Amino acid sequence: MRNAKAGNKTVQQFRDAALPWLDDAYALAQILMRTEVDAEQAVQDCYLRALRQFDGVRGPAVRCWLLAILRAVCRKRRGEMPGRRATPTNSTDYNATTEHCDAPTIRQLIGELPAPLGEVIALRDVIDLSYKEIAEVTGVPVTTVMSRIADARGLLLAARRAANKAPPAGRTKPTVLG
């Protein structure tokens, strides 16, 4: 009976510590997994794994800890080696929907970045982690985080400019006869 009470207390402590970060976890999972269904499954896997590993972690540290677990879950689910994006296999993923969209959204553009760049820009600009927290989640030095964010922002800006200059799908630029 004592173990059951202790288990319930641990579950309640986990809920109190981890549930405030559920929206952040889901936002990151949507970017890393590219589909809602895959994102939901990844977050569920993350929270189950985190509950099994939970030992009373408290405060803001829980956020980074959960996001690091989520990142590992997403990589495993995609069958991906660190630093490499898996090829999408689902017709409802970001790349498929981007083809039908005249002006890609920032989330779509982030989804098209190489994995290390997409992760850090999502953690910074979507989830609003500090550079130090991003370094903790990704396991790289803060200077690497800063460099990746700068590279990602440069690529996003270039992609956005290119998208704005491209004619809408199905249309061609008019030719000028002279």
Side-chain angles (χ1 to χ4, degrees):
M1 183 73 171
R2 179 175 252 168
N3 282 342
K5 286 183 180 179
N8 287 339
K9 184 178 179 183
T10 300
V11 170
Q12 185 59 46
Q13 289 173 335
F14 176 76
R15 265 191 222 128
D16 293 344
L19 284 182
W21 310 117
L22 184 61
D23 289 342
D24 288 349
Y26 184 67
L28 179 60
Q30 282 183 305
I31 290 169
L32 297 179
M33 297 305 296
R34 301 187 188 113
T35 69
E36 287 185 35
V37 171
D38 290 341
E40 289 171 4
Q41 291 173 350
V43 171
Q44 287 178 3
D45 289 353
C46 167
Y47 271 70
L48 287 172
R49 186 184 292 185
L51 177 60
R52 286 191 294 265
Q53 297 173 5
F54 185 71
D55 63 357
V57 179
R58 293 276 186 274
V62 173
R63 184 183 195 194
C64 292
W65 175 70
L66 278 170
L67 295 176
I69 293 171
L70 177 65
R71 184 174 170 262
V73 166
C74 290
R75 282 187 167 182
K76 183 178 180 183
R77 284 174 121 342
R78 289 188 321 238
E80 180 177 307
M81 298 300 289
R84 193 184 89 214
R85 284 263 198 219
T87 304
T89 58
N90 188 322
S91 64
T92 61
D93 63 42
Y94 270 174
N95 292 332
T97 58
T98 302
E99 293 173 8
H100 304 292
C101 186
D102 289 341
T105 66
I106 293 298
R107 283 189 185 230
Q108 288 169 330
L109 293 173
I110 289 172
E112 294 171 0
L113 290 172
L117 303 182
E119 290 171 353
V120 296
I121 201 72
L123 289 168
R124 177 69 199 121
D125 293 337
V126 176
I127 304 201
D128 200 32
L129 293 184
S130 69
Y131 288 5
K132 182 180 176 187
E133 290 170 322
I134 296 168
E136 189 176 323
V137 170
T138 59
V140 299
V142 173
T143 53
T144 302
V145 168
M146 294 167 68
S147 174
R148 288 180 181 176
I149 288 172
D151 292 346
R153 287 179 177 159
L155 289 172
L156 288 172
L157 181 61
R160 190 69 174 170
R161 285 181 178 158
N164 287 338
K165 288 182 181 179
R171 293 185 187 170
T172 59
K173 288 185 179 179
T175 55
V176 178
L177 299 174

